Amino acid sequence: MIDTTNGGLNTTEMYFFTVLEARSPRSKSCQDCFLELLKVMRTIDDRIVHELNTTVPTASFAGKIDASQTCKQLYESLMEAHTSRDRFIKNCIAQTSSVVKHLREEREKNLDDLTLLKQLRKEQTKLKWMQSELNVEEVVNDRSWKVFNERCRIHFKPPKNE
């Protein structure tokens, strides 16, 4: 079962966890579904150009659609998505760090257990991979904000505190 108690998950995150749990009959940890969940959670960033092209009007159609409201809604959606993903990645890193810590402690007690050593190395690799996803997340977010700002800067000004 995915741990949804940490980090005060919002409605969007709970939806993603529910979808993933419904797809798999077996119980999953955060580590087992990490990539699949990130893929689902990054959908808004993957489709931002299309979303902006279909919702923010060009100059010739400017009077027919409220671009400021559309940009505001997209801004709020992006903020929620980025916050959710950041929280999810950090939650998974914390869970995996805890597993690595536990395996290290077990390894210190039993230095001859090769199976334990393999498991520790496997978990350490997962942890490094999850930590690298924070860098990927930064790139994805930067790209989305660049595209958003190019199309919405004249229609919507984000609050200064964010």
Side-chain angles (χ1 to χ4, degrees), residues 51-76 148-158:
E51 182 73 20
L52 286 166
N53 286 341
T54 58
T55 59
V56 178
T58 58
S60 60
F61 292 100
K64 298 179 180 169
I65 297 174
D66 184 3
S68 62
Q69 185 62 29
T70 301
C71 287
K72 180 182 180 193
Q73 289 170 345
L74 184 56
Y75 171 82
E76 291 168 354
F148 174 84
N149 287 326
E150 286 173 0
R151 287 296 300 272
C152 286
R153 70 176 169 252
I154 61 172
H155 304 292
F156 175 76
K157 300 286 185 232

Side-chain angles (χ1 to χ4, degrees), residues 23-41:
R23 288 183 184 173
S24 176
R26 68 179 183 85
S27 186
K28 285 190 170 187
S29 70
C30 177
Q31 300 167 38
D32 295 330
C33 65
F34 188 77
L35 265 184
E36 186 177 356
L37 184 56
L38 276 180
K39 182 180 177 184
V40 172
M41 293 176 86

Side-chain angles (χ1 to χ4, degrees), residues 54-114:
T54 58
T55 59
V56 178
T58 58
S60 60
F61 292 100
K64 298 179 180 169
I65 297 174
D66 184 3
S68 62
Q69 185 62 29
T70 301
C71 287
K72 180 182 180 193
Q73 289 170 345
L74 184 56
Y75 171 82
E76 291 168 354
S77 295
L78 280 170
M79 287 297 294
E80 181 179 349
H82 294 175
T83 302
S84 295
R85 288 196 312 261
D86 185 66
R87 188 178 308 137
F88 170 72
I89 293 169
K90 288 177 179 175
N91 182 36
C92 287
I93 288 171
Q95 286 181 24
T96 306
S97 293
S98 177
V99 170
V100 167
K101 180 182 176 190
H102 173 73
L103 288 171
R104 276 190 187 136
E105 291 168 356
E106 290 298 313
R107 175 77 176 132
E108 288 173 9
K109 293 176 189 172
N110 191 354
L111 296 174
D112 297 329
D113 189 346
L114 292 178

Side-chain angles (χ1 to χ4, degrees), residues 6 20 38 42 44 115 135 143 145:
N6 290 343
L20 282 175
L38 276 180
R42 286 182 177 150
I44 188 171
T115 305
N135 294 328
R143 177 190 164 270
W145 287 121

